[in-house]
Structures are given as C-alpha cells and as structure tokens.
C-alpha cells in the first residue's frame, strides 16, 4: 500500500511532522554517527599517528573536509540527472561502509584510501537525503522549518554519540579495559563502519513509504539504457578514487580543485538558469547571497575539527562540572548535545512566532546566527584569563562558548537547508543542495587555512604562550563574525524582495 502513495498524499499529512521524516531522521542519525566520529578523530590521528605538525594538520584537515563537502554537489548532479535520490543515497552509503572498514583494518597505512572512499560516498549520500526531506512538504508549508529542525536534531544525536565515543575510545579515555591499547584506532573506526550499516538498512527497509519521492529521473527511457547510465556512474565514481587519494594527500592539489569546482558549479547553474523564469532566477540569486555568507560562517564554525580540536587536547582541563571527561570529546560533541536539546524547541518557536506574524525572515535569522557565533568565539578568547601556569584552562567556560554558538548554528544551518529547498526549482533541488554543501566545503577549506595560520604563529611556543595565540585568533574571528551579522541584517530587506513569497 505504501508503495502507491502519491506525493500529494504524503504532503497532506496531519500534525507537525510527516511519518516519513522519522525514517529519514534515523537513517541520517546513524550516518552522522559515522561521519562525526571520524571527523573528530582526524586532527588527533594526524598529530599522534601520522606525526604531522599542527600547521600541516590544520591544512590537511581542511583539505580532507573540503572534499567531503564538495562532493555532494557532484553527487547531487548525478542524482538529478541519472540515479535519482534513492539509488544515489544507497550507493553513497555502500562506499562509506567500505571506507570505514578499510580504516578499521589498518588506519595508519590505508588512511587516505579509506578517507577517499568516505569522501565519494558522502557526496552521493548527503545532499539526497536532505532533498527528500524537502519534498515531504508542499511549497510554502510553514511547518517545513520545524521539520528541518527536527531532522537536524537527528543529525546531532548521531554526531553527539559518535563524536564523543570514537574520540574517547581512540585516545583511551573510554572503555580502555575492553579495547586493547594497540587496537584503539581500529575499534574507533570500526564503530563508524557498523553504524553506517545500520543507517543503510534503516533506509532500505522504510523507503517504500516515500512513494514516488526519490525515484530515477530516467523513468521515461528504456530500462536497459537507464541501467547502462547507472552502471557507468558507479564505475566512474570508483575510478575517481585514486585521483581523490592524490589530491587529499597533497594539499596543493586541494587549492587547484577549489579554484575549479566553485566557478564550474556556478557556470553550470548559470546555464540551467537560462531555462528558468525571472521569478525563479531571483530566488536563486537570493539563495546565492545566503550561500556566500554561509561560507564565512563555516570557516569559523569548523575550527571545531581543526584548531579547536588541538586547543582542546593541549589547553583544556579534563574536568566538566566535576566529572572527568575527554576535552576533545567534549569539543567534538558538546555542540551536538545542545542542538538535540534546543533544535525542536527552536523550530516550534519559529512556528509560534509565525502564527503571531512576528517571525523574522530567513536573512535576519542568518544574521542572528553570526551574532551568536561572534559571542561564542569571544568566550573562547576569554578562556585565556582562566589559564594556569601550564597553559591549561577551563573546560566549563569553553563548553559555554559552544552553548552560545549552537544557537547561531540553529539560526543558520537547518534554516539554510529549508531555504535551499524552497528557493530552488524542483528539477534542480539536489544540485542546489549540493551547492549548499559546496559552500560548506569552501568553509572547511578556509577553516583549515585559518587554523594553520594560528598554529604557525604559535610554533615553538610554550603551552601557555600557545594558548594565548590561539585565544587571540578566536578574538579576531569573533570580530569578523559580528561584522558579517550586522551586514546581513542591514541588507535583509533587499534579499527578502528577491525571495518573493518565500519567507
């Protein structure tokens, strides 16, 4: 019966959330366990196992994450043109499982091979599940922001569990009596592989409830011809993995890649825009304004996996509210915990404001996101005034900084996902979702450069001197975030006009 559901029947749901959202919620939750667990380990692994210095580690981390977020544009393109959302998601999940298994078997010798499988897999998985969430709603359904906020909470439940467990197991502060010391990294990466299998099974067992959503865009051509195009896509995605290994292992190639992928995606979209109406193109211009500012946001926010990870390892006490914990585990998971607690509440708060006609528009929400971001980084800067002679400072205060930043993320990221869905013409939604993640790729890329600059300034310093250099760097980021937030709020009327009926 579920297989015969039409899009209209799915979108005419009662209550706050469609049931299909919960299925996608759990699939995404386990995939994010895998992703954030691995992300949290990268900088620590490169310093402790690959023996890279902190400047190189920041650049390497930024390069790796840039590719992870750049490939959803390519994955979205193939989903829109050949595979459809569902097959793209399934194929991406399989590649991510292979990558995690490789890392669990021998992370030191096959690090870049495993990471490369994960990069390509994420490209096929990530944009398409978000696109399916958007298609559960009718155009201008005021419940969509709340739906994406709930979906975002699922992302962060996975990120919380995986982000802490994988890091803590790898460094030996969790389950040390169960996990042999020489196999800590193998177990940590192995957890990522297991939960990715759970994610994929969750999707395959519930996809019938999606009705027509996510099916191949090539239903109108012969099955044999459609199959050939799909197989060529699968083979091509495997063939590119050696190229990814080369580019990820050598950050200079990342520079070249980032110089090409952004302009190329822009040219592609400009060509697509020729077939759209003036009203549709105005919405896309508004989407690009949000995308440009999101690059700045993620360049600051994503210090979490790079410079803030190293800051946590070197400069934070291991006591949080009287409990002994992993400082880097907290750095990697605290934001997710706060999102889980407040995402649904904030989504419902937007609905409450909308009912009273006082809800701020999307651009103002973005601006507020930057103001919270500025506040959080100011707290990171302020931790230097609580440091002891060894260069260790308060994990409690540091965690409070993440508490503030979380509200900035909730004003921007789930709202941004929703905005991309509402501002994009139907036939290019997966590509626009991919461009949204491509903006995150540029954010990750610049995050690595910013983190490397901070690290280079602290080279050959004592731990206390290093703390001061890092803290002063975070002060500068706080100032820039404040300026960006004010600019967004000032230009919000202009961008709102471009968005037309989309709020």
């Amino acid at each position: 019966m579920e297989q015969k559901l039409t899009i209209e029947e799915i979108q005419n749901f009662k209550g706050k959330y469609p049931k299909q959202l919960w299925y996608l919620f759990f699939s995404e939750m386990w995939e994010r366990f895998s992703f954030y667990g691995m992300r949290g380990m990268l900088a620590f692994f490169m310093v402790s196992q690959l023996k890279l210095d902190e400047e190189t580690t920041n650049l390497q981390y930024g390069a790796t994450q840039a590719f992870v977020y750049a490939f959803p544009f390519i994955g979205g393109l193939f989903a829109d043109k050949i595979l459809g959302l569902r097959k793209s998601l399934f194929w991406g999940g399989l590649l991510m499982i292979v990558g995690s298994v490789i890392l669990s078997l021998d992370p030191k010798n096959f690090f870049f091979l495993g990471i490369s499988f994960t990069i390509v897999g994420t490209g096929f998985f990530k944009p398409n599940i978000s696109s399916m969430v958007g298609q559960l709603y009718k155009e201008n359904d005021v419940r969509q922001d709340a739906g994406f906020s709930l979906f975002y909470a699922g992302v962060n439940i996975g990120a919380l569990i995986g982000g802490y467990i994988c890091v803590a197991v790898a460094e030996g502060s969790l389950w040390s009596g169960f996990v042999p010391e020489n196999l800590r990294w193998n177990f940590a990466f192995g957890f990522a592989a297991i939960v990715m299998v759970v994610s994929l099974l969750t999707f395959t067992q519930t996809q019938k409830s999606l009705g027509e959503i996510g099916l191949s865009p090539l239903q109108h051509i012969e099955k044999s011809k459609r199959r050939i195009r799909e197989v060529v896509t699968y083979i091509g995605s495997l063939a590119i993995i050696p190229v990814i290994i080369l580019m990820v292992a050598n950050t200079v190639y990342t520079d070249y890649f980032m110089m090409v992928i952004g302009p190329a995606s822009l040219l592609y979209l400009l060509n697509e825009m020729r077939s759209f109406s003036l009203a549709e193109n105005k919405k896309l211009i508004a989407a690009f304004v949000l995308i440009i500012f999101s690059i700045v946001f993620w360049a600051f926010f994503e210090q979490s996996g790079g410079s803030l990870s190293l800051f946590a390892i070197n400069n934070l006490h291991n006591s949080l509210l009287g409990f002994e914990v992993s400082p880097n585990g907290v750095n990697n998971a605290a934001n997710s915990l706060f999102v889980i607690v407040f995402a649904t509440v904030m989504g419902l708060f937007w609905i409450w404001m909308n009912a009273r006609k006082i809800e701020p528009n999307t651009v103002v929400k973005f601006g507020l996101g930057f103001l919270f971001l500025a506040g959080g980084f100011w707290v990171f800067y302020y931790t230097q005034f609580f440091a002891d002679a060894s260069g260790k400072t308060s994990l409690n205060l540091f965690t409070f900084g993440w508490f503030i930043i979380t509200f900035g993320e909730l004003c921007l990221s789930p709202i941004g996902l929703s905005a991309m869905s509402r501002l994009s013409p139907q036939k290019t939604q997966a590509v626009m979702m991919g461009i949204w993640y491509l903006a995150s790729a540029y954010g990750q890329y610049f995050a690595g450069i910013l983190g490397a600059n901070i690290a280079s300034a602290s080279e050959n310093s004592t731990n206390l001197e290093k703390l001061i250099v890092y803290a002063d760097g975070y002060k500068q980021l706080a100032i820039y975030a404040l300026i960006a937030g004010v600019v967004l709020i000032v230009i919000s009327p202009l961008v709102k006009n471009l968005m037309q009926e989309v709020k």
Side-chain angles (χ1 to χ4, degrees):
M1 291 293 291
E2 290 180 318
Q3 216 169 5
K4 298 179 181 178
L5 282 174
T6 65
I7 291 179
E8 290 74 18
E9 287 172 329
I10 293 172
Q11 292 175 341
N12 289 329
F13 63 91
K14 305 296 181 183
K16 292 184 175 69
Y17 307 111
K19 68 175 183 179
Q20 292 83 359
L21 179 63
W22 293 102
Y23 304 148
L24 298 175
F25 170 103
F26 283 109
S27 182
E28 177 76 346
M29 182 186 78
W30 292 117
E31 186 272 338
R32 291 291 91 180
F33 179 115
S34 175
F35 175 83
Y36 278 95
M38 292 180 63
R39 188 197 76 153
M41 294 187 283
L42 288 180
F44 182 39
F45 182 86
M46 286 187 278
V47 169
S48 66
Q49 302 299 307
L50 301 184
K51 304 302 180 183
L52 303 179
D53 60 64
E54 291 190 6
E55 181 180 359
T56 304
T57 293
N58 272 285
L59 289 173
Q60 189 67 72
Y61 171 81
T64 301
Q65 294 301 102
F67 281 110
V68 165
Y69 281 91
F71 268 75
F73 169 75
I74 300 172
L77 178 62
F78 280 103
D80 276 345
K81 302 299 182 183
I82 299 175
L83 297 180
L85 305 179
R86 294 195 207 177
K87 287 184 178 179
S88 289
L89 186 150
F90 184 77
W91 177 240
L94 285 179
L95 293 177
M96 293 175 73
I97 291 169
V98 172
S100 298
V101 169
I102 290 171
L103 289 170
S104 70
L105 294 175
D106 191 346
K108 196 168 183 178
N109 290 315
F110 295 110
F111 178 73
F112 291 110
L113 176 62
I115 289 295
S116 297
F117 267 94
T118 302
I119 286 171
V120 178
T122 303
F124 281 96
F125 188 102
K126 185 60 181 170
N128 301 309
I129 194 166
S130 300
S131 295
M132 282 188 274
V133 171
Q135 291 183 30
L136 298 176
Y137 293 87
K138 289 182 178 179
E139 188 174 354
N140 298 324
D141 189 330
V142 298
R143 299 172 294 181
Q144 190 176 68
D145 277 359
F148 270 100
S149 291
L150 177 64
F151 180 72
Y152 207 65
V155 168
N156 283 277
I157 291 173
L160 168 65
I161 303 170
Y164 189 86
I165 288 178
C166 291
V167 169
V169 168
E171 69 183 21
S173 61
L174 181 67
W175 301 337
S176 57
F178 167 68
V179 180
E181 185 175 353
N182 64 319
L183 294 177
R184 286 173 181 170
W185 288 103
N186 305 77
F187 270 76
F189 285 116
F191 290 141
I194 292 169
V195 297
M196 195 60 229
V197 172
V198 175
S199 170
L200 208 55
L201 287 175
T202 300
F203 178 74
T204 56
Q205 297 306 305
T206 61
Q207 64 175 319
K208 288 183 179 180
S209 68
L210 294 170
E212 305 165 14
I213 293 175
L215 296 178
S216 171
L218 302 179
Q219 297 288 336
H220 59 285
I221 69 174
E222 293 179 20
K223 187 174 181 179
S224 58
K225 293 182 179 179
R226 184 168 73 241
R227 187 64 179 169
I228 290 173
R229 296 185 189 184
E230 291 173 354
V231 170
V232 169
T233 300
Y234 298 144
I235 293 173
S237 59
L238 292 174
I240 200 174
I241 286 176
V243 179
I244 302 301
I245 294 173
L246 177 65
M247 291 193 295
V248 171
N250 300 276
T251 57
V252 65
Y253 293 115
T254 306
D255 298 335
Y256 300 147
F257 178 80
M258 299 307 288
M259 290 176 189
V260 172
I261 188 66
S265 62
L266 181 60
L267 288 173
Y268 171 81
L269 193 64
L270 287 173
N271 183 63
E272 291 285 298
M273 288 171 69
R274 294 165 57 191
S275 63
F276 298 152
S277 67
L278 178 61
E280 288 173 324
N281 284 331
K282 284 183 177 180
K283 291 179 183 178
L284 286 173
I285 293 172
F288 266 105
V289 173
L290 301 181
I291 286 169
I292 293 299
F293 275 91
S294 75
I295 293 175
V296 180
F297 185 92
W298 296 123
F300 297 175
F301 181 94
E302 289 299 338
Q303 294 302 311
S304 58
S307 73
L308 283 171
S309 180
L310 299 174
F311 181 81
I313 293 167
N314 296 321
N315 300 110
L316 294 179
H317 291 298
N318 65 350
S319 176
L320 179 64
L321 300 177
F323 295 94
E324 186 175 317
V325 295
S326 162
N328 190 32
V330 172
N331 168 61
N332 201 42
N335 166 247
S336 299
L337 173 62
F338 295 137
V339 170
I340 294 164
V341 174
F342 295 105
T344 303
V345 174
M346 203 159 181
L348 297 175
F349 180 63
W350 296 136
I351 292 178
W352 180 86
M353 294 186 75
N354 179 271
R356 288 154 182 79
K357 303 187 185 302
I358 57 173
E359 182 185 11
N361 64 59
T362 296
V363 190
V364 173
K365 289 178 183 177
F366 265 55
L368 293 173
F370 274 96
L371 299 185
F372 282 115
L373 182 69
F377 270 92
W378 182 265
V379 172
F380 293 154
Y381 155 71
Y382 207 71
T383 58
Q384 69 174 303
F385 300 111
F386 293 81
D388 58 24
S390 68
K392 297 279 187 176
T393 189
S394 170
L395 179 57
N396 291 323
L397 185 60
F398 180 86
T399 305
F400 180 64
W402 272 119
F403 173 78
I404 296 173
I405 289 175
T406 295
F407 289 96
E409 184 186 7
L410 288 174
C411 285
L412 185 141
S413 192
I415 305 304
L417 283 171
S418 179
M420 291 306 106
S421 177
R422 289 179 293 160
L423 291 171
S424 307
Q426 184 69 41
K427 68 177 183 178
T428 193
Q429 277 200 358
V431 168
M432 280 303 294
M433 202 65 73
I435 291 177
W436 172 253
Y437 289 112
L438 182 59
S440 296
Y442 276 93
Q444 299 278 357
Y445 173 67
F446 291 124
I449 294 174
L450 290 172
N453 288 338
I454 295 173
S456 65
S458 67
E459 191 175 359
N460 301 321
S461 300
T462 66
N463 207 45
L464 180 58
E465 292 169 340
K466 182 179 291 187
L467 180 147
I468 294 172
V469 170
Y470 272 67
D472 287 343
Y474 299 143
K475 177 184 177 181
Q476 293 300 313
L477 297 186
I479 293 171
Y480 297 143
L482 176 64
I483 293 170
V486 171
V487 169
L488 263 171
I489 292 172
V490 169
I491 68 172
S492 61
L494 175 62
V495 183
K496 182 181 177 182
N497 287 337
L498 291 172
M499 295 171 69
Q500 300 158 76
E501 78 280 359
V502 177
K503 298 180 180 180

